[in-house]
Amino acid sequence: MPQVEMDKVEPLLEQYEDQRLNLIPILQDVQETYRYLPELVLRRISKKLRVPLTEVYQVATFYRCFSLVPRGKHVIQVCLGTACHVRGAPRVLDRILRDLKLPHAGTTEDLQFTVETVRCIGCCGLAPVARVDNTNTHPHLTQAKVGGLLKKYQEKAEAPKAAKPDEASHAKA
Amino acid sequence: MPTLKINGIEVEVEKGMTVLEAARFLGIPIPTLCHEDALQPYGACRLCLVEVSNGRKTTLQASCCLPADDGLVVFTHSARVERARKLLLEMYVATCPSSKRIQDMASAMGLRECRYEAKHETCIQCGLCVRMCEQQMMAGAIGFSGRGVNRSVTRPFDMTSELCRQCGACLFICPVCESRCQGPQAESTLCNGCLNISTVCFQSYDNAMCFLEPCHACEIGGPFRADVGVKPRSKDLTHIVGK
Protein backbone atom coordinates (compact mmCIF):
# COMPACT_ATOMS: atom_id res chain seq x y z
CA MET A 1 0.00 0.00 0.00
CA PRO A 2 1.49 3.37 -0.95
CA GLN A 3 2.06 5.95 1.73
CA VAL A 4 -0.94 8.21 2.10
CA GLU A 5 -0.78 11.70 3.49
CA MET A 6 -3.52 11.46 6.03
CA ASP A 7 -3.15 15.04 7.19
CA LYS A 8 -5.05 16.24 4.14
CA VAL A 9 -8.17 14.39 5.21
CA GLU A 10 -8.88 15.97 8.57
CA PRO A 11 -9.43 19.57 7.40
CA LEU A 12 -11.53 18.18 4.62
CA LEU A 13 -13.70 16.19 7.00
CA GLU A 14 -14.16 19.15 9.28
CA GLN A 15 -16.02 21.04 6.59
CA TYR A 16 -18.87 18.60 6.84
CA GLU A 17 -21.17 17.49 9.56
CA ASP A 18 -20.83 13.88 10.59
CA GLN A 19 -23.87 12.73 8.74
CA ARG A 20 -24.52 9.91 6.39
CA LEU A 21 -25.81 12.21 3.69
CA ASN A 22 -22.43 13.92 3.46
CA LEU A 23 -20.74 10.74 2.32
CA ILE A 24 -20.75 11.46 -1.39
CA PRO A 25 -19.64 15.11 -1.12
CA ILE A 26 -16.75 14.00 1.09
CA LEU A 27 -15.78 11.24 -1.29
CA GLN A 28 -15.86 13.73 -4.15
CA ASP A 29 -13.51 16.05 -2.28
CA VAL A 30 -11.18 13.18 -1.44
CA GLN A 31 -11.18 12.07 -5.05
CA GLU A 32 -10.25 15.59 -6.09
CA THR A 33 -7.50 15.93 -3.51
CA TYR A 34 -5.82 12.56 -3.91
CA ARG A 35 -7.03 11.77 -7.42
CA TYR A 36 -8.23 8.46 -5.99
CA LEU A 37 -9.82 7.07 -2.83
CA PRO A 38 -7.11 5.59 -0.61
CA GLU A 39 -8.16 2.72 1.59
CA LEU A 40 -6.99 4.36 4.79
CA VAL A 41 -8.99 7.47 4.01
CA LEU A 42 -12.12 5.43 3.38
CA ARG A 43 -11.66 3.72 6.73
CA ARG A 44 -11.27 7.08 8.41
CA ILE A 45 -14.41 8.41 6.73
CA SER A 46 -16.36 5.35 7.76
CA LYS A 47 -15.34 5.84 11.36
CA LYS A 48 -15.98 9.57 11.39
CA LEU A 49 -19.42 9.39 9.79
CA ARG A 50 -20.34 6.17 11.59
CA VAL A 51 -21.23 4.57 8.29
CA PRO A 52 -20.23 0.92 7.81
CA LEU A 53 -17.15 0.50 5.67
CA THR A 54 -19.14 -1.76 3.39
CA GLU A 55 -21.45 1.10 2.58
CA VAL A 56 -18.58 3.48 1.88
CA TYR A 57 -17.02 0.83 -0.33
CA GLN A 58 -20.32 0.21 -2.05
CA VAL A 59 -20.68 3.87 -2.96
CA ALA A 60 -17.01 4.18 -3.93
CA THR A 61 -17.26 1.26 -6.35
CA PHE A 62 -20.67 2.20 -7.69
CA TYR A 63 -19.92 5.58 -9.23
CA ARG A 64 -17.47 5.88 -12.04
CA CYS A 65 -16.22 9.25 -10.88
CA PHE A 66 -14.59 7.49 -7.93
CA SER A 67 -11.52 5.35 -8.32
CA LEU A 68 -9.77 3.06 -5.86
CA VAL A 69 -6.50 3.17 -7.79
CA PRO A 70 -4.53 6.36 -8.47
CA ARG A 71 -5.63 8.24 -11.54
CA GLY A 72 -3.54 10.42 -13.81
CA LYS A 73 -3.25 14.18 -13.56
CA HIS A 74 -5.38 14.58 -16.65
CA VAL A 75 -8.36 12.35 -17.28
CA ILE A 76 -9.18 11.95 -20.95
CA GLN A 77 -12.71 10.73 -21.52
CA VAL A 78 -13.18 9.48 -25.04
CA CYS A 79 -16.82 9.29 -25.98
CA LEU A 80 -17.80 6.02 -27.61
CA GLY A 81 -21.49 6.79 -27.89
CA THR A 82 -23.33 5.90 -31.07
CA ALA A 83 -22.72 9.18 -32.88
CA CYS A 84 -19.05 9.31 -31.91
CA HIS A 85 -18.60 5.66 -32.72
CA VAL A 86 -20.00 6.12 -36.20
CA ARG A 87 -17.78 9.12 -36.82
CA GLY A 88 -14.59 7.32 -35.91
CA ALA A 89 -14.13 7.51 -32.14
CA PRO A 90 -12.57 4.02 -31.94
CA ARG A 91 -9.77 5.17 -34.24
CA VAL A 92 -9.21 8.26 -32.12
CA LEU A 93 -9.12 6.14 -29.00
CA ASP A 94 -6.64 3.75 -30.60
CA ARG A 95 -4.42 6.65 -31.52
CA ILE A 96 -4.53 8.11 -28.00
CA LEU A 97 -3.71 4.74 -26.48
CA ARG A 98 -0.87 4.21 -28.94
CA ASP A 99 0.60 7.64 -28.29
CA LEU A 100 0.46 7.10 -24.55
CA LYS A 101 1.79 3.55 -24.92
CA LEU A 102 -1.18 2.07 -23.10
CA PRO A 103 -2.41 -1.43 -23.92
CA HIS A 104 -5.98 -0.50 -23.04
CA ALA A 105 -7.88 2.29 -21.34
CA GLY A 106 -6.18 3.05 -18.04
CA THR A 107 -3.51 5.19 -16.42
CA THR A 108 -0.02 5.83 -17.74
CA GLU A 109 2.89 4.80 -15.57
CA ASP A 110 4.02 8.37 -14.89
CA LEU A 111 0.50 9.18 -13.61
CA GLN A 112 0.10 11.98 -16.12
CA PHE A 113 -2.86 10.65 -18.08
CA THR A 114 -5.82 8.42 -17.51
CA VAL A 115 -7.76 7.33 -20.56
CA GLU A 116 -11.38 6.40 -20.06
CA THR A 117 -14.16 5.53 -22.41
CA VAL A 118 -17.59 6.97 -21.76
CA ARG A 119 -20.90 6.30 -23.40
CA CYS A 120 -22.22 9.70 -24.28
CA ILE A 121 -21.36 13.12 -22.98
CA GLY A 122 -24.29 14.76 -24.66
CA CYS A 123 -22.81 16.69 -27.55
CA CYS A 124 -23.31 14.34 -30.46
CA GLY A 125 -23.19 17.28 -32.87
CA LEU A 126 -19.50 17.63 -32.11
CA ALA A 127 -18.70 13.94 -32.65
CA PRO A 128 -16.22 12.43 -32.25
CA VAL A 129 -15.52 14.16 -28.99
CA ALA A 130 -13.23 13.76 -26.00
CA ARG A 131 -13.33 15.57 -22.70
CA VAL A 132 -10.29 16.32 -20.60
CA ASP A 133 -10.46 16.94 -16.86
CA ASN A 134 -14.27 17.09 -16.97
CA THR A 135 -14.25 20.63 -18.35
CA ASN A 136 -12.40 20.89 -21.64
CA THR A 137 -14.35 19.42 -24.50
CA HIS A 138 -12.45 18.74 -27.69
CA PRO A 139 -14.79 18.42 -30.67
CA HIS A 140 -14.41 16.89 -34.12
CA LEU A 141 -11.35 14.85 -33.24
CA THR A 142 -9.31 13.06 -35.82
CA GLN A 143 -6.25 10.90 -35.46
CA ALA A 144 -4.15 13.84 -36.64
CA LYS A 145 -5.45 16.07 -33.85
CA VAL A 146 -4.60 13.62 -31.09
CA GLY A 147 -0.89 14.48 -31.03
CA GLY A 148 -1.59 18.17 -30.48
CA LEU A 149 -4.17 17.48 -27.82
CA LEU A 150 -1.82 15.30 -25.81
CA LYS A 151 1.07 17.70 -26.26
CA LYS A 152 -0.96 20.55 -24.88
CA TYR A 153 -1.60 18.74 -21.63
CA GLN A 154 1.85 17.21 -21.48
CA GLU A 155 3.42 20.64 -21.62
CA LYS A 156 1.04 21.89 -19.04
CA ALA A 157 1.96 19.02 -16.80
CA GLU A 158 5.64 19.78 -17.10
CA ALA A 159 5.47 23.57 -16.69
CA PRO A 160 5.57 24.45 -12.98
CA LYS A 161 2.45 26.16 -11.73
CA ALA A 162 0.82 26.43 -15.11
CA ALA A 163 -2.16 28.71 -15.44
CA LYS A 164 -5.62 27.23 -15.33
CA PRO A 165 -6.57 25.60 -18.61
CA ASP A 166 -8.83 27.72 -20.77
CA GLU A 167 -12.41 26.69 -20.81
CA ALA A 168 -13.43 24.66 -23.82
CA SER A 169 -10.32 25.55 -25.78
CA HIS A 170 -9.97 23.59 -28.97
CA ALA A 171 -6.88 21.70 -29.91
CA LYS A 172 -5.33 22.87 -33.12
CA ALA A 173 -4.72 20.33 -35.79
CA MET B 1 -57.90 0.67 8.31
CA PRO B 2 -57.44 0.39 4.54
CA THR B 3 -59.67 -2.02 2.68
CA LEU B 4 -58.49 -3.61 -0.53
CA LYS B 5 -59.56 -6.35 -2.84
CA ILE B 6 -57.27 -9.31 -3.37
CA ASN B 7 -58.44 -11.80 -5.99
CA GLY B 8 -61.96 -10.52 -5.46
CA ILE B 9 -61.87 -10.90 -1.69
CA GLU B 10 -62.44 -7.77 0.31
CA VAL B 11 -59.89 -7.61 3.06
CA GLU B 12 -59.29 -5.10 5.77
CA VAL B 13 -55.66 -4.82 6.77
CA GLU B 14 -53.67 -2.91 9.30
CA LYS B 15 -52.13 0.34 8.24
CA GLY B 16 -48.56 -0.02 7.01
CA MET B 17 -48.92 -3.55 5.75
CA THR B 18 -47.67 -4.44 2.32
CA VAL B 19 -49.76 -6.21 -0.28
CA LEU B 20 -47.56 -9.28 0.11
CA GLU B 21 -48.25 -9.43 3.82
CA ALA B 22 -51.93 -8.92 3.23
CA ALA B 23 -52.05 -11.71 0.69
CA ARG B 24 -50.16 -14.07 2.94
CA PHE B 25 -52.48 -13.12 5.76
CA LEU B 26 -55.32 -14.32 3.54
CA GLY B 27 -53.43 -17.52 2.88
CA ILE B 28 -52.62 -16.75 -0.73
CA PRO B 29 -49.14 -18.05 -1.46
CA ILE B 30 -46.93 -15.63 -3.37
CA PRO B 31 -43.48 -16.94 -4.24
CA THR B 32 -40.50 -14.84 -3.19
CA LEU B 33 -36.75 -15.19 -3.23
CA CYS B 34 -35.56 -11.93 -1.73
CA HIS B 35 -38.22 -11.46 0.94
CA GLU B 36 -37.75 -12.24 4.60
CA ASP B 37 -40.17 -11.17 7.27
CA ALA B 38 -37.41 -10.05 9.59
CA LEU B 39 -35.72 -7.85 7.01
CA GLN B 40 -36.74 -4.73 5.21
CA PRO B 41 -38.38 -5.27 1.81
CA TYR B 42 -35.95 -5.02 -1.04
CA GLY B 43 -37.86 -5.71 -4.25
CA ALA B 44 -34.97 -7.38 -6.02
CA CYS B 45 -36.27 -10.73 -7.17
CA ARG B 46 -39.56 -9.47 -8.61
CA LEU B 47 -41.12 -12.91 -8.17
CA CYS B 48 -43.73 -11.46 -5.86
CA LEU B 49 -45.17 -9.28 -8.56
CA VAL B 50 -48.92 -8.90 -8.70
CA GLU B 51 -51.32 -7.26 -11.07
CA VAL B 52 -52.64 -4.04 -9.63
CA SER B 53 -55.57 -2.27 -11.15
CA ASN B 54 -56.35 1.36 -10.72
CA GLY B 55 -59.51 1.67 -12.71
CA ARG B 56 -58.59 1.59 -16.37
CA LYS B 57 -55.30 -0.18 -16.72
CA THR B 58 -53.41 -2.73 -14.70
CA THR B 59 -49.73 -2.80 -13.91
CA LEU B 60 -47.37 -5.42 -12.58
CA GLN B 61 -45.83 -4.37 -9.29
CA ALA B 62 -43.66 -6.01 -6.70
CA SER B 63 -46.06 -6.73 -3.86
CA CYS B 64 -43.34 -6.85 -1.19
CA CYS B 65 -42.74 -3.12 -1.62
CA LEU B 66 -46.31 -2.11 -2.36
CA PRO B 67 -48.22 -0.60 0.57
CA ALA B 68 -51.70 -2.04 0.98
CA ASP B 69 -53.59 1.14 0.29
CA ASP B 70 -57.30 1.72 0.46
CA GLY B 71 -59.20 0.70 -2.64
CA LEU B 72 -56.46 -1.30 -4.34
CA VAL B 73 -57.60 -4.09 -6.62
CA VAL B 74 -54.99 -6.82 -6.73
CA PHE B 75 -54.74 -10.07 -8.64
CA THR B 76 -52.04 -12.36 -7.38
CA HIS B 77 -52.36 -15.24 -9.81
CA SER B 78 -53.73 -13.84 -13.04
CA ALA B 79 -52.48 -15.24 -16.32
CA ARG B 80 -50.28 -12.23 -16.87
CA VAL B 81 -48.69 -12.56 -13.47
CA GLU B 82 -48.12 -16.27 -13.87
CA ARG B 83 -46.52 -15.73 -17.26
CA ALA B 84 -44.19 -13.05 -15.92
CA ARG B 85 -43.26 -15.16 -12.90
CA LYS B 86 -42.55 -18.18 -15.03
CA LEU B 87 -40.25 -16.18 -17.28
CA LEU B 88 -38.42 -14.78 -14.29
CA LEU B 89 -38.03 -18.22 -12.78
CA GLU B 90 -36.75 -19.55 -16.05
CA MET B 91 -34.03 -16.92 -15.95
CA TYR B 92 -33.27 -17.66 -12.32
CA VAL B 93 -32.94 -21.35 -13.09
CA ALA B 94 -30.55 -20.52 -15.89
CA THR B 95 -28.54 -18.28 -13.58
CA CYS B 96 -28.24 -20.73 -10.70
CA PRO B 97 -29.26 -24.23 -11.76
CA SER B 98 -27.69 -25.72 -8.65
CA SER B 99 -29.99 -23.96 -6.17
CA LYS B 100 -32.53 -26.11 -4.45
CA ARG B 101 -34.90 -23.31 -3.62
CA ILE B 102 -35.05 -22.07 -7.18
CA GLN B 103 -35.47 -25.55 -8.60
CA ASP B 104 -38.21 -26.28 -6.08
CA MET B 105 -40.01 -23.14 -7.05
CA ALA B 106 -39.63 -23.87 -10.74
CA SER B 107 -41.11 -27.32 -10.28
CA ALA B 108 -43.94 -26.02 -8.17
CA MET B 109 -44.69 -23.45 -10.82
CA GLY B 110 -44.78 -26.08 -13.52
CA LEU B 111 -41.75 -24.90 -15.42
CA ARG B 112 -41.01 -27.61 -17.94
CA GLU B 113 -38.17 -26.21 -19.98
CA CYS B 114 -35.42 -23.67 -19.65
CA ARG B 115 -34.67 -21.94 -22.91
CA TYR B 116 -31.61 -20.10 -21.68
CA GLU B 117 -28.06 -21.27 -21.42
CA ALA B 118 -27.05 -22.25 -17.90
CA LYS B 119 -24.72 -19.69 -16.36
CA HIS B 120 -23.89 -21.49 -13.11
CA GLU B 121 -23.55 -18.29 -11.12
CA THR B 122 -23.22 -18.52 -7.37
CA CYS B 123 -25.33 -15.47 -6.59
CA ILE B 124 -28.64 -14.04 -7.72
CA GLN B 125 -28.00 -10.72 -5.97
CA CYS B 126 -31.12 -10.89 -3.85
CA GLY B 127 -29.32 -8.94 -1.14
CA LEU B 128 -30.56 -11.21 1.65
CA CYS B 129 -27.11 -11.86 3.09
CA VAL B 130 -26.21 -8.18 2.98
CA ARG B 131 -29.43 -7.15 4.70
CA MET B 132 -29.18 -9.97 7.22
CA CYS B 133 -25.67 -8.93 8.16
CA GLU B 134 -26.64 -5.30 8.45
CA GLN B 135 -30.13 -5.39 9.93
CA GLN B 136 -30.23 -8.48 12.08
CA MET B 137 -26.61 -9.15 12.96
CA MET B 138 -25.81 -5.45 13.21
CA ALA B 139 -22.44 -6.08 11.67
CA GLY B 140 -22.41 -4.79 8.10
CA ALA B 141 -19.42 -6.91 7.25
CA ILE B 142 -20.44 -7.64 3.70
CA GLY B 143 -21.91 -5.41 1.07
CA PHE B 144 -22.35 -4.93 -2.62
CA SER B 145 -19.65 -3.51 -4.80
CA GLY B 146 -19.65 -2.37 -8.39
CA ARG B 147 -22.76 -2.07 -10.46
CA GLY B 148 -24.53 -3.60 -13.40
CA VAL B 149 -22.95 -6.82 -14.54
CA ASN B 150 -20.02 -6.22 -12.21
CA ARG B 151 -22.14 -6.02 -9.08
CA SER B 152 -21.21 -8.60 -6.51
CA VAL B 153 -21.32 -9.29 -2.80
CA THR B 154 -17.92 -8.64 -1.29
CA ARG B 155 -16.10 -7.54 1.77
CA PRO B 156 -14.48 -4.11 1.53
CA PHE B 157 -11.10 -4.36 -0.19
CA ASP B 158 -11.49 -8.14 -0.28
CA MET B 159 -10.10 -8.45 3.21
CA THR B 160 -11.68 -10.29 6.08
CA SER B 161 -13.67 -7.68 7.87
CA GLU B 162 -13.05 -7.19 11.57
CA LEU B 163 -16.82 -6.73 11.88
CA CYS B 164 -17.49 -10.30 10.78
CA ARG B 165 -18.18 -12.60 13.70
CA GLN B 166 -18.48 -15.61 11.41
CA CYS B 167 -22.01 -16.16 12.63
CA GLY B 168 -23.03 -17.79 9.37
CA ALA B 169 -26.31 -15.92 9.11
CA CYS B 170 -25.51 -14.98 5.53
CA LEU B 171 -25.10 -18.63 4.61
CA PHE B 172 -28.23 -19.56 6.49
CA ILE B 173 -30.39 -17.10 4.62
CA CYS B 174 -28.86 -17.52 1.16
CA PRO B 175 -31.43 -18.99 -1.25
CA VAL B 176 -28.72 -20.30 -3.53
CA CYS B 177 -26.27 -21.98 -1.17
CA GLU B 178 -28.40 -25.05 -0.61
CA SER B 179 -27.64 -27.58 -3.32
CA ARG B 180 -30.34 -29.26 -5.25
CA CYS B 181 -31.02 -32.95 -5.64
CA GLN B 182 -27.89 -34.77 -6.70
CA GLY B 183 -29.86 -37.53 -8.35
CA PRO B 184 -29.83 -38.78 -11.90
CA GLN B 185 -30.13 -35.41 -13.60
CA ALA B 186 -27.89 -33.32 -11.40
CA GLU B 187 -26.21 -31.82 -14.44
CA SER B 188 -29.34 -30.68 -16.25
CA THR B 189 -30.33 -27.05 -16.13
CA LEU B 190 -33.86 -27.73 -15.01
CA CYS B 191 -34.26 -30.38 -12.37
CA ASN B 192 -37.07 -32.58 -13.46
CA GLY B 193 -35.06 -35.65 -12.79
CA CYS B 194 -37.84 -37.62 -11.22
CA LEU B 195 -40.27 -36.72 -13.91
CA ASN B 196 -39.36 -39.54 -16.22
CA ILE B 197 -38.51 -42.24 -13.76
CA SER B 198 -40.93 -45.08 -13.47
CA THR B 199 -40.15 -46.02 -9.88
CA VAL B 200 -40.11 -43.86 -6.82
CA CYS B 201 -36.77 -42.15 -6.38
CA PHE B 202 -35.55 -43.73 -3.22
CA GLN B 203 -36.10 -47.27 -4.38
CA SER B 204 -33.65 -46.73 -7.18
CA TYR B 205 -31.22 -44.26 -5.69
CA ASP B 206 -30.70 -45.08 -2.07
CA ASN B 207 -28.12 -42.50 -1.16
CA ALA B 208 -28.50 -40.22 -4.11
CA MET B 209 -32.16 -39.81 -3.50
CA CYS B 210 -33.95 -36.64 -4.26
CA PHE B 211 -33.94 -34.09 -1.49
CA LEU B 212 -36.70 -31.93 -2.84
CA GLU B 213 -39.16 -31.66 -0.08
CA PRO B 214 -41.80 -32.37 -1.05
CA CYS B 215 -40.50 -33.50 -4.39
CA HIS B 216 -42.52 -31.22 -6.62
CA ALA B 217 -41.47 -32.98 -9.75
CA CYS B 218 -42.86 -36.24 -8.37
CA GLU B 219 -45.99 -34.56 -7.20
CA ILE B 220 -46.66 -32.76 -10.41
CA GLY B 221 -45.52 -35.07 -13.09
CA GLY B 222 -44.32 -38.19 -11.35
CA PRO B 223 -45.37 -41.70 -12.17
CA PHE B 224 -48.26 -41.62 -9.75
CA ARG B 225 -49.92 -38.71 -11.42
CA ALA B 226 -51.21 -40.33 -14.57
CA ASP B 227 -53.71 -37.52 -15.01
CA VAL B 228 -50.91 -35.10 -15.80
CA GLY B 229 -50.13 -37.14 -18.83
CA VAL B 230 -46.39 -37.40 -18.61
CA LYS B 231 -45.51 -40.86 -19.76
CA PRO B 232 -42.50 -42.43 -18.09
CA ARG B 233 -39.75 -42.82 -20.63
CA SER B 234 -38.58 -46.04 -19.10
CA LYS B 235 -36.70 -47.33 -22.08
CA ASP B 236 -34.44 -44.28 -22.17
CA LEU B 237 -33.51 -44.75 -18.55
CA THR B 238 -32.82 -48.44 -18.40
CA HIS B 239 -29.12 -47.76 -18.06
CA ILE B 240 -29.76 -45.80 -14.89
CA VAL B 241 -32.60 -47.72 -13.38
CA GLY B 242 -31.28 -51.10 -14.36
CA LYS B 243 -33.19 -53.92 -15.98
Side-chain angles (χ1 to χ4, degrees):
Chain A
M1 199 191 299
Q3 283 288 314
V4 182
E5 302 160 51
M6 287 295 283
D7 51 340
K8 282 190 204 162
V9 191
E10 295 305 327
L12 209 151
L13 283 174
E14 269 164 30
Q15 294 170 22
Y16 296 95
E17 277 179 53
D18 292 346
Q19 274 177 348
R20 209 180 127 122
L21 54 93
N22 283 329
L23 177 60
I24 288 179
I26 290 176
L27 288 182
Q28 279 175 325
D29 280 5
V30 171
Q31 172 77 40
E32 209 169 292
T33 316
Y34 290 92
R35 286 192 262 131
Y36 77 114
L37 303 176
E39 187 187 326
L40 283 176
V41 176
L42 291 191
R43 285 181 189 278
R44 176 79 191 106
I45 293 170
S46 142
K47 225 171 230 166
K48 186 95 193 304
L49 298 187
R50 293 209 199 92
V51 171
L53 185 64
T54 45
E55 205 172 311
V56 179
Y57 189 74
Q58 189 172 330
V59 174
T61 52
F62 186 87
Y63 294 104
R64 261 187 101 179
C65 60
F66 299 134
S67 164
L68 293 177
V69 287
R71 265 183 174 170
K73 209 165 217 164
H74 299 288
V75 180
I76 306 173
Q77 293 173 319
V78 183
C79 179
L80 287 184
T82 311
C84 290
H85 188 94
V86 168
R87 304 207 56 185
R91 287 197 296 277
V92 173
L93 176 68
D94 278 354
R95 182 59 185 259
I96 293 177
L97 291 178
R98 185 153 41 114
D99 283 4
L100 293 175
K101 298 191 181 63
L102 281 170
H104 43 75
T107 307
T108 55
E109 250 175 47
D110 57 359
L111 291 182
Q112 287 301 328
F113 289 101
T114 292
V115 182
E116 273 177 0
T117 60
V118 291
R119 284 303 143 200
C120 184
I121 55 178
C123 45
C124 304
L126 307 177
V129 64
R131 195 167 57 181
V132 183
D133 297 340
N134 277 326
T135 45
N136 302 341
T137 308
H138 297 270
H140 305 303
L141 285 176
T142 57
Q143 290 204 25
K145 286 182 184 175
V146 166
L149 185 145
L150 291 180
K151 211 174 167 194
K152 194 174 149 199
Y153 290 97
Q154 253 155 4
E155 277 164 4
K156 217 167 262 174
E158 276 158 23
K161 280 195 177 175
K164 257 196 161 182
D166 306 329
E167 292 290 301
S169 54
H170 301 167
K172 272 183 194 161
Chain B
M1 294 266 273
T3 314
L4 67 158
K5 223 174 192 178
I6 300 179
N7 293 353
I9 308 165
E10 287 259 350
V11 59
E12 205 173 300
V13 295
E14 273 174 50
K15 219 176 166 193
M17 261 177 133
T18 62
V19 171
L20 179 72
E21 284 165 343
R24 286 194 170 163
F25 175 73
L26 275 184
I28 300 168
I30 294 180
T32 55
L33 275 174
C34 75
H35 181 82
E36 184 64 43
D37 287 336
L39 303 173
Q40 276 169 15
Y42 199 57
C45 74
R46 312 312 279 185
L47 277 177
C48 67
L49 42 81
V50 292
E51 200 169 348
V52 183
S53 152
N54 57 351
R56 260 175 251 163
K57 58 175 185 179
T58 62
T59 51
L60 290 180
Q61 296 197 32
S63 62
C64 68
C65 298
L66 185 68
D69 282 338
D70 208 29
L72 272 187
V73 180
V74 178
F75 299 97
T76 61
H77 285 76
S78 65
R80 190 177 165 202
V81 169
E82 292 278 270
R83 208 164 49 232
R85 269 188 207 147
K86 248 183 170 169
L87 180 69
L88 272 172
L89 257 180
E90 204 174 331
M91 291 193 269
Y92 277 123
V93 165
T95 317
C96 290
S98 60
S99 157
K100 173 176 152 62
R101 213 184 294 178
I102 294 173
Q103 292 286 358
D104 271 7
M105 227 176 245
S107 298
M109 210 95 110
L111 202 66
R112 286 288 182 277
E113 55 164 352
C114 180
R115 292 163 292 176
Y116 306 106
E117 194 191 329
K119 285 271 188 278
H120 296 287
E121 303 271 340
T122 48
C123 180
I124 54 165
Q125 315 226 340
C126 62
L128 273 175
C129 53
V130 174
R131 279 177 292 153
M132 187 72 167
C133 193
E134 186 193 330
Q135 291 165 21
Q136 285 295 324
M137 297 304 147
M138 300 297 167
I142 50 173
F144 281 109
S145 79
R147 72 168 151 179
V149 286
N150 298 321
R151 193 167 182 249
S152 63
V153 176
T154 48
R155 304 151 298 177
F157 305 104
D158 270 334
M159 282 189 284
T160 308
S161 171
E162 59 258 45
L163 297 167
C164 176
R165 303 188 293 267
Q166 310 206 330
C167 63
C170 43
L171 288 172
F172 169 75
I173 201 139
C174 176
V176 174
C177 283
E178 197 177 353
S179 281
R180 76 192 233 198
C181 163
Q182 297 299 310
Q185 294 195 357
E187 300 298 315
S188 67
T189 307
L190 190 63
C191 177
N192 274 334
C194 316
L195 209 63
N196 304 316
I197 297 167
S198 51
T199 41
V200 196
C201 314
F202 82 100
Q203 286 179 353
S204 310
Y205 312 101
D206 304 327
N207 297 322
M209 71 180 267
C210 175
F211 287 102
L212 294 177
E213 194 188 342
C215 173
H216 290 298
C218 276
E219 269 190 358
I220 296 164
F224 302 116
R225 287 286 303 274
D227 55 330
V228 175
V230 179
K231 293 277 183 295
R233 289 189 311 188
S234 51
K235 65 177 172 189
D236 294 344
L237 287 153
T238 40
H239 62 288
I240 308 172
V241 183
K243 276 174 261 171

